[in-house]
Amino acid sequence: MTKSLGMFMAAGLLAFSGMAQATALDQFKTFVASTKAARGEFVQTQVRKTPTSKVAAPASGTFLFARPGKFIWSYVKPYEQVLQADGDKLYIYDKDLNQVTVRKLGDALGSSPAAILFGSNDLDKNFTLSEAGTRDGIEWLKAVPKAKDSAFAQISIGLRDGQPVAMELNDAFGQASMLTFKKFEKNPPLAAQQFKFVMPKGADVFEG
């Protein structure tokens, strides 16, 4: 994965029902209503358009979120970058450059992948949700942003046993990437200052 793709994820702003046979929509609504916070690990890969298409190297890292609008999305490999929101501002930290970009969170989550995991429960306001069938034992839900200027054309959420295990992101330029989640822990105990961003020493700061 390139650094530009990591920044693109930032700009785009990246349940437990107990019923194995529940539809993806039912599982997802239960997940959103019952999950105030979560943490885990992710792997992000680009989807090849053709067998010979070039794709960026997979990226991996960790995530932590608390609704609404608080999260720490940390890329560990192949390079280190942190996307962190405290409910008011979004901080994008590039460790290699020791550079921090600060943006007003506001409605930035909007119709983005981040809104699905980290936003409020009012998803119907920003997305049109529909069932997308079953693949490999995973129930899929399709979310189409209602905003015409969204960076994403479609977002698919894969659920198993009442929690998201994957997200497929299709952007407005015809490119697709897949996020897979593991070690998903629901509603972990969090410290009061967990999401407060600490500015790295000597970092260059840019207001976005």
Side-chain angles (χ1 to χ4, degrees), residues 1-2 5 44-58 175-177:
M1 174 178 159
T2 63
L5 183 54
Q44 182 175 341
T45 55
Q46 282 187 293
V47 178
R48 292 182 184 273
K49 290 185 177 180
T50 68
T52 58
S53 297
K54 291 184 178 181
V55 296
Q175 298 183 354
S177 60

Side-chain angles (χ1 to χ4, degrees), residues 132-183:
T134 304
R135 284 182 279 154
D136 301 321
I138 299 173
E139 298 285 342
W140 287 88
L141 177 68
K142 181 171 70 174
V144 177
K146 292 181 178 180
K148 298 187 181 301
D149 58 350
S150 173
F152 292 89
Q154 178 180 306
I155 302 160
S156 298
I157 307 103
L159 299 108
R160 182 191 288 130
D161 297 330
Q163 72 181 35
V165 294
M167 290 180 72
E168 187 173 278
L169 315 174
N170 293 271
D171 68 26
F173 304 100
Q175 298 183 354
S177 60
M178 179 73 76
L179 288 166
T180 54
F181 305 116
K182 60 182 180 179
K183 298 184 180 179

Side-chain angles (χ1 to χ4, degrees), residues 80-183:
E80 293 186 56
Q81 186 184 59
V82 177
L83 282 60
Q84 183 166 335
D86 59 9
D88 179 46
K89 292 183 179 180
L90 171 66
Y91 301 85
I92 306 167
Y93 171 51
D94 188 312
K95 185 174 181 179
D96 289 345
L97 299 176
N98 198 23
Q99 176 179 302
V100 177
T101 301
V102 185
R103 296 174 178 166
K104 182 73 175 177
L105 192 60
D107 296 326
L109 291 178
S111 300
S112 71
I116 291 174
L117 288 180
F118 315 133
S120 67
N121 296 355
D122 192 16
L123 289 170
D124 291 335
K125 176 182 177 181
N126 294 311
F127 296 94
T128 299
L129 304 174
S130 62
E131 299 287 340
T134 304
R135 284 182 279 154
D136 301 321
I138 299 173
E139 298 285 342
W140 287 88
L141 177 68
K142 181 171 70 174
V144 177
K146 292 181 178 180
K148 298 187 181 301
D149 58 350
S150 173
F152 292 89
Q154 178 180 306
I155 302 160
S156 298
I157 307 103
L159 299 108
R160 182 191 288 130
D161 297 330
Q163 72 181 35
V165 294
M167 290 180 72
E168 187 173 278
L169 315 174
N170 293 271
D171 68 26
F173 304 100
Q175 298 183 354
S177 60
M178 179 73 76
L179 288 166
T180 54
F181 305 116
K182 60 182 180 179
K183 298 184 180 179

